């Protein structure tokens, strides 16, 4: 289970000691990116001070230790998400790149004119646009799983979307705009009954929910380092070996080749086939510290703490005059989106910022969600393991003040 000591956790995050606009920082924009514990920050400094070297290339000492450290991360990720093989872990720039790799390298060869791709009504733009680009290029068609007024997907409608032409399903584990946790296992099983592979966007799940890709039997799985207390510029694409093997490379360049002549190039094996060029080495290496950090505390303990905080924040926010929650699913994780009658979300965000409180306002890269609820955007409070009930109380006081000023 692990031990959850909130004071110890907070002490690990140096940025939480700073002030913003003369007030202690209260950071509720964790859905956009999380802060980094000193273990990750120290890891980055240590990399440049002690190791800096290109990986997979040099015979010299520094290149070897950098390569080893980078490959430690791959094995760390493999264990963290319970992948069968280390070479099923592709190190990418982040969720967006991971999804684009699948849209491009699975989509282009295996999805043609008239074929269908299923996504959901609550996707982040990064799980909509790559598929639309594929549709524009190949003449395939996007089918969208509808969502109800609570922000829950309609599973019966999902089932009815499958046809002979369905080639892939891609949806989010947790909605960044609504907080909904989707019934991923059930949805994967439904797709597999139709022999259709599934990509899960886990950008908002990986830092909150323990993952076992083999138990889920998911085909592709994407997430970002920077949303899980790790560095920016690194992420993961997991794919089942057999599927990755039949896909062509994403980009051409160094590292992804076996032999190059002007007549013909042969490609490297997994995972390097999908890792052309010099990656963000320090970020790749220091994803290890982020995973260690999460695992030392334990995702079960983190989830229990965050769920309690989510309940508390939801209950306290409900007391705000004129508040309307956007996203009231039965199963939610760490995200509370809301609007207040007659007040633009942006104005609330600006006033809270003056009080040192960081929230997100806007469409959260999920414009179709906002269209469905007929709103321009929401105020989004997204929690991380270092947030506290005291911070929620300060947010509520700030919101009451903002609402009184703006009404
Ligand atoms: N999917 C979801 C659900 C997200 O919340 C985000 C980030 N907001 C992304 C994808 C894209 O992640 P990144 O920008 O790290 O590639």
């Amino acid at each position: 289970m692990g031990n959850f000591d909130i004071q110890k956790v907070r002490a690990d995050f140096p940025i939480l000691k700073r002030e913003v606009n003369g007030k202690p920082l209260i950071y509720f924009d964790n859905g956009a990116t999380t802060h980094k514990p000193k273990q990750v920050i120290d890891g980055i400094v240590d990399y440049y001070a002690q190791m800096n070297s290109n990986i997979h290339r040099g015979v010299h000492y520094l290149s070897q230790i950098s390569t080893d450290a980078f490959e430690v991360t791959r094995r760390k990720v493999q264990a963290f998400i319970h992948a069968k093989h280390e070479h099923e872990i592709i190190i990418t720039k982040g969720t967006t790149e991971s999804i684009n790799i699948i849209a491009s390298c699975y989509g282009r060869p295996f999805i043609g004119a008239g074929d269908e791709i299923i996504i959901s009504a609550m996707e982040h733009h990064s799980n909509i646009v790559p598929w639309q680009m594929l549709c524009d290029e190949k003449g395939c068609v996007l089918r969208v799983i509808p969502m109800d007024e609570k922000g829950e997907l309609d599973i019966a409608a999902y089932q009815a979307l499958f046809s002979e032409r369905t080639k892939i399903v891609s949806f989010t584990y947790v909605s960044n705009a609504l907080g909904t946790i989707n019934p991923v296992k059930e949805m994967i099983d439904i797709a597999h009954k139709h022999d259709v592979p599934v990509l899960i966007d886990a950008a908002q799940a990986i830092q909150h929910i323990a993952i076992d890709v083999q138990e889920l039997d998911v085909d592709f799985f994407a997430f970002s380092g920077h949303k899980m207390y790790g560095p920016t510029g690194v992420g993961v694409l997991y794919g089942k070996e057999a599927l990755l093997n039949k896909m062509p490379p994403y980009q051409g360049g160094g590292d992804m080749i076996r032999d190059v002549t002007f007549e013909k190039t042969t490609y490297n094996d997994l995972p390097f086939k999908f890792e052309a060029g010099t990656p963000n080495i320090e970020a790749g290496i220091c994803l290890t510290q982020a995973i260690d950090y999460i695992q030392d505390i334990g995702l079960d303990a983190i989830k229990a703490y965050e769920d309690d905080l989510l309940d508390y924040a939801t209950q306290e926010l409900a007391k705000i005059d004129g508040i309307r929650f956007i996203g009231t699913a039965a199963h939610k994780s760490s995200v509370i989106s809301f609007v207040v009658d007659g007040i633009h979300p942006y104005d609330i965000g600006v006033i809270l910022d003056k009080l040192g409180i960081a929230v997100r306002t806007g469409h959260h890269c999920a414009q179709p969600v906002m269209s469905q609820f007929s709103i321009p955007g929401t105020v989004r409070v997204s929690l991380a393991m270092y947030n506290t009930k005291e911070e929620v109380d300060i947010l509520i006081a700030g919101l009451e003040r903002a609402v009184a000023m703006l009404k």
Side-chain angles (χ1 to χ4, degrees), residues 169-363:
V169 173
S170 187
F171 61 89
T172 193
Y173 199 135
V174 173
S175 158
N176 68 309
L178 304 166
T180 311
I181 304 176
N182 286 316
V184 280
K185 178 63 183 146
E186 184 189 351
M187 292 174 71
I188 291 166
D189 289 348
I190 290 169
H192 285 172
K193 285 208 182 89
H194 297 269
D195 276 332
V196 174
V198 178
L199 163 59
I200 298 285
D201 170 355
Q204 299 291 345
I206 194 76
Q207 63 285 52
H208 304 297
I209 300 170
I211 301 292
D212 185 326
V213 289
Q214 291 187 76
E215 199 178 290
L216 286 174
D217 197 23
V218 65
D219 302 279
F220 302 113
F221 193 82
F223 56 92
S224 301
H226 70 98
K227 293 182 199 280
M228 54 184 295
Y229 311 103
T232 334
V234 67
V236 169
L237 169 64
Y238 158 83
K240 284 183 183 164
E241 178 185 40
L243 289 168
L244 291 176
N245 267 332
K246 64 179 205 177
M247 288 160 45
Y250 183 53
Q251 294 179 322
D255 262 6
M256 53 71 74
I257 52 89
R258 172 161 304 129
D259 273 308
V260 178
T261 65
F262 287 116
E263 287 69 43
K264 184 170 170 53
T265 290
T266 51
Y267 303 131
N268 208 337
D269 294 330
L270 293 176
F272 309 110
K273 184 171 89 173
F274 292 105
E275 294 182 0
T278 303
N280 189 338
I281 301 171
E282 83 278 14
I285 289 175
C286 296
L287 189 55
T288 280
Q289 280 85 349
I291 294 174
D292 282 345
Y293 191 81
I294 290 173
Q295 286 191 314
D296 284 350
I297 298 170
L299 266 170
D300 290 344
I302 293 171
K303 185 170 186 310
Y305 178 82
E306 289 177 343
D307 284 351
D308 181 53
L309 194 57
L310 180 70
D311 286 348
Y312 180 74
T314 308
Q315 165 205 310
E316 293 304 303
L317 281 165
K319 296 175 184 161
I320 301 284
D321 200 24
I323 197 164
R324 175 158 69 100
F325 292 111
I326 305 296
T328 49
H331 300 287
K332 284 187 62 173
S333 170
S334 299
V335 170
I336 308 171
S337 252
F338 61 87
V339 290
V340 180
D341 278 350
I343 304 178
H344 199 283
Y346 176 83
D347 295 335
I348 293 178
V350 170
I351 293 182
L352 291 178
D353 179 55
K354 296 242 166 2
L355 303 171
I357 305 169
V359 295
R360 188 72 150 206
T361 63
H363 56 59

Side-chain angles (χ1 to χ4, degrees), residues 31-33 93-99 122-127 172-177 201-205 207 222-227 232-234 360 364-365 380:
T33 198
K93 280 196 308 195
T95 310
T96 301
E97 187 177 54
S98 299
I99 296 172
M122 63 171 75
E123 297 312 311
H124 186 278
H125 295 163
S126 63
N127 199 23
T172 193
Y173 199 135
V174 173
S175 158
N176 68 309
D201 170 355
Q204 299 291 345
Q207 63 285 52
F223 56 92
S224 301
H226 70 98
K227 293 182 199 280
T232 334
V234 67
R360 188 72 150 206
H364 319 297
C365 296
R380 182 185 72 179

Side-chain angles (χ1 to χ4, degrees), residues 5 10 24 41 48 169 173-174 185 197 232 318 374 376 384 387 389:
D5 176 348
R10 288 184 66 81
I41 299 168
Y48 282 114
V169 173
Y173 199 135
V174 173
K185 178 63 183 146
T232 334
S374 307
N387 290 126
K389 289 185 180 170

Side-chain angles (χ1 to χ4, degrees), residues 34-101:
T34 56
H35 289 307
K36 321 303 171 199
K38 61 177 185 299
Q39 290 82 342
V40 170
I41 299 168
D42 291 349
I44 293 170
V45 173
D46 190 57
Y47 167 76
Y48 282 114
Q50 299 297 334
M51 285 190 202
N52 179 47
S53 205
N54 213 328
I55 55 170
H56 300 141
R57 287 164 202 205
V59 291
H60 63 81
Y61 180 75
L62 291 185
S63 178
Q64 282 184 28
I65 59 170
S66 295
T67 303
D68 289 349
F70 197 83
E71 292 305 317
V72 164
T73 290
R74 200 184 308 279
R75 289 193 290 278
K76 189 68 72 177
V77 171
Q78 179 200 352
F80 188 52
I81 64 170
H82 299 95
K84 192 163 176 191
H85 304 293
E86 164 181 350
H87 54 257
E88 292 175 319
I89 307 299
I90 316 290
I91 309 286
T92 66
K93 280 196 308 195
T95 310
T96 301
E97 187 177 54
S98 299
I99 296 172
N100 274 278
I101 291 174

